[in-house]
Amino acid sequence: MPVPFESLIPFAIISGMFLVTGTGIRYAQTKRNEGKVARYSLDDWDRKMLQRDKQLTGTERGQIDDPVAPAEFKVNSAWK
């Protein structure tokens, strides 16, 4: 049974919108996470490490390899 060609145009539009939306969401998530893949299923340890990285570098995804913390690390606590 042939498919009417009139139904292919709305199907292509709807499929295209799914593609555009998925690509846009992926781009937004990647941009928000500084070009890295989004993190899922974070436990307490991961959240504490994200908070530590934010205090050390100013961003949640940034990391440093210096064994000594910068001087401003002492005064940028969330408790103060």
Side-chain angles (χ1 to χ4, degrees):
M1 180 171 195
V3 176
F5 70 91
E6 293 92 358
S7 65
L8 295 179
I9 295 172
F11 180 74
I13 292 171
I14 291 171
S15 299
M17 286 298 116
F18 274 115
L19 180 69
V20 168
T21 304
T23 304
I25 289 173
R26 173 64 84 182
Y27 175 76
Q29 286 178 343
T30 304
K31 191 73 169 168
R32 184 181 64 196
N33 289 309
E34 300 174 13
K36 298 176 184 171
V37 181
R39 294 182 178 181
Y40 298 104
S41 301
L42 297 177
D43 58 358
D44 288 338
W45 175 262
D46 293 329
R47 287 189 194 93
K48 287 180 183 180
M49 289 297 106
L50 285 171
Q51 181 182 9
R52 174 190 163 271
D53 291 341
K54 186 167 179 110
Q55 288 178 345
L56 284 172
T57 63
T59 176
E60 290 182 348
R61 298 300 298 253
Q63 297 177 352
I64 58 173
D65 59 351
D66 190 11
V68 179
E72 56 269 2
F73 183 72
K74 295 178 184 176
V75 295
N76 66 357
S77 174
W79 296 102
K80 291 190 178 196

Short mmCIF file of all heavy atoms in Angstrom, two decimals, residues 6 15 27-29 40 44 46 48 50 52 54 56 63 67-68 76:
data_model
loop_
_atom_site.label_atom_id
_atom_site.label_comp_id
_atom_site.label_asym_id
_atom_site.label_seq_id
_atom_site.Cartn_x
_atom_site.Cartn_y
_atom_site.Cartn_z
N GLU A 6 1.73 13.52 0.62
CA GLU A 6 1.36 14.68 1.43
C GLU A 6 1.75 14.47 2.90
O GLU A 6 1.96 15.43 3.64
CB GLU A 6 -0.14 14.96 1.36
CG GLU A 6 -0.61 15.43 0.00
CD GLU A 6 -1.06 14.26 -0.86
OE1 GLU A 6 -0.97 13.12 -0.40
OE2 GLU A 6 -1.50 14.51 -1.99
N SER A 15 10.23 15.45 12.30
CA SER A 15 11.52 14.79 12.53
C SER A 15 12.65 15.81 12.60
O SER A 15 13.56 15.71 13.43
CB SER A 15 11.81 13.78 11.41
OG SER A 15 10.83 12.78 11.38
N TYR A 27 23.97 20.98 22.90
CA TYR A 27 24.88 22.13 22.84
C TYR A 27 24.81 22.95 24.13
O TYR A 27 25.83 23.36 24.67
CB TYR A 27 24.55 23.01 21.63
CG TYR A 27 25.36 24.27 21.57
CD1 TYR A 27 26.69 24.24 21.16
CD2 TYR A 27 24.82 25.48 21.96
CE1 TYR A 27 27.44 25.39 21.12
CE2 TYR A 27 25.57 26.64 21.92
CZ TYR A 27 26.88 26.59 21.50
OH TYR A 27 27.62 27.74 21.48
N ALA A 28 23.60 23.18 24.63
CA ALA A 28 23.44 23.97 25.85
C ALA A 28 24.07 23.27 27.05
O ALA A 28 24.73 23.91 27.88
CB ALA A 28 21.96 24.23 26.11
N GLN A 29 23.89 21.96 27.16
CA GLN A 29 24.49 21.22 28.26
C GLN A 29 26.01 21.24 28.17
O GLN A 29 26.70 21.40 29.18
CB GLN A 29 23.99 19.78 28.27
CG GLN A 29 22.58 19.62 28.74
CD GLN A 29 22.11 18.18 28.69
OE1 GLN A 29 22.72 17.34 28.02
NE2 GLN A 29 21.02 17.89 29.37
N TYR A 40 26.02 12.90 35.69
CA TYR A 40 24.77 12.34 36.18
C TYR A 40 25.05 11.50 37.42
O TYR A 40 26.18 11.05 37.64
CB TYR A 40 24.10 11.47 35.13
CG TYR A 40 23.72 12.22 33.88
CD1 TYR A 40 24.47 12.10 32.71
CD2 TYR A 40 22.62 13.06 33.86
CE1 TYR A 40 24.13 12.80 31.57
CE2 TYR A 40 22.28 13.77 32.73
CZ TYR A 40 23.03 13.62 31.59
OH TYR A 40 22.69 14.32 30.46
N ASP A 44 27.46 12.32 47.32
CA ASP A 44 27.98 13.37 48.21
C ASP A 44 29.43 13.69 47.92
O ASP A 44 29.84 14.85 47.96
CB ASP A 44 27.82 12.95 49.67
CG ASP A 44 26.38 12.98 50.13
OD1 ASP A 44 25.58 13.70 49.50
OD2 ASP A 44 26.06 12.30 51.11
N ASP A 46 31.10 13.45 45.08
CA ASP A 46 31.21 14.24 43.85
C ASP A 46 30.78 15.69 44.09
O ASP A 46 31.42 16.62 43.57
CB ASP A 46 30.34 13.63 42.75
CG ASP A 46 30.84 12.28 42.28
OD1 ASP A 46 32.07 12.06 42.33
OD2 ASP A 46 30.00 11.46 41.87
N LYS A 48 30.93 17.36 46.90
CA LYS A 48 31.96 18.02 47.70
C LYS A 48 33.18 18.34 46.85
O LYS A 48 33.80 19.41 47.02
CB LYS A 48 32.35 17.15 48.89
CG LYS A 48 31.27 17.11 49.95
CD LYS A 48 31.65 16.25 51.11
CE LYS A 48 30.49 16.21 52.09
NZ LYS A 48 30.78 15.40 53.25
N LEU A 50 33.09 18.97 43.62
CA LEU A 50 32.68 20.09 42.77
C LEU A 50 32.77 21.40 43.54
O LEU A 50 33.23 22.43 43.01
CB LEU A 50 31.26 19.88 42.25
CG LEU A 50 31.08 18.86 41.14
CD1 LEU A 50 29.60 18.60 40.88
CD2 LEU A 50 31.76 19.33 39.88
N ARG A 52 34.73 21.98 46.13
CA ARG A 52 36.15 22.24 46.33
C ARG A 52 36.80 22.83 45.09
O ARG A 52 37.54 23.80 45.16
CB ARG A 52 36.85 20.94 46.72
CG ARG A 52 38.34 21.05 46.82
CD ARG A 52 38.96 19.65 46.95
NE ARG A 52 40.36 19.69 46.66
CZ ARG A 52 40.90 19.55 45.46
NH1 ARG A 52 40.12 19.34 44.42
NH2 ARG A 52 42.19 19.60 45.28
N LYS A 54 35.31 24.47 42.77
CA LYS A 54 34.81 25.83 42.57
C LYS A 54 35.53 26.82 43.47
O LYS A 54 35.83 27.94 43.07
CB LYS A 54 33.30 25.88 42.83
CG LYS A 54 32.72 27.24 42.51
CD LYS A 54 31.23 27.19 42.46
CE LYS A 54 30.70 28.56 42.16
NZ LYS A 54 30.13 28.68 40.88
N LEU A 56 38.63 26.46 44.60
CA LEU A 56 40.03 26.55 44.18
C LEU A 56 40.20 27.31 42.87
O LEU A 56 41.13 28.10 42.71
CB LEU A 56 40.64 25.16 44.04
CG LEU A 56 41.00 24.45 45.34
CD1 LEU A 56 41.41 23.02 45.06
CD2 LEU A 56 42.11 25.17 46.05
N GLN A 63 40.06 22.19 37.36
CA GLN A 63 40.91 21.47 38.30
C GLN A 63 42.32 22.01 38.21
O GLN A 63 42.75 22.48 37.16
CB GLN A 63 40.90 19.97 38.00
CG GLN A 63 39.55 19.35 38.16
CD GLN A 63 39.55 17.87 37.78
OE1 GLN A 63 40.52 17.36 37.28
NE2 GLN A 63 38.45 17.20 38.04
N PRO A 67 49.83 21.26 44.56
CA PRO A 67 49.54 20.62 45.85
C PRO A 67 49.23 21.62 46.97
O PRO A 67 48.66 21.24 47.98
CB PRO A 67 50.81 19.83 46.17
CG PRO A 67 51.88 20.51 45.39
CD PRO A 67 51.23 21.07 44.17
N VAL A 68 49.58 22.89 46.77
CA VAL A 68 49.32 23.90 47.78
C VAL A 68 48.17 24.78 47.30
O VAL A 68 48.19 25.30 46.19
CB VAL A 68 50.59 24.76 48.02
CG1 VAL A 68 50.32 25.83 49.06
CG2 VAL A 68 51.76 23.89 48.42
N ASN A 76 37.34 32.01 51.14
CA ASN A 76 36.18 31.92 50.28
C ASN A 76 35.27 30.75 50.64
O ASN A 76 34.66 30.16 49.80
CB ASN A 76 36.60 31.86 48.80
CG ASN A 76 37.34 30.60 48.46
OD1 ASN A 76 37.61 29.77 49.31
ND2 ASN A 76 37.68 30.45 47.20
#
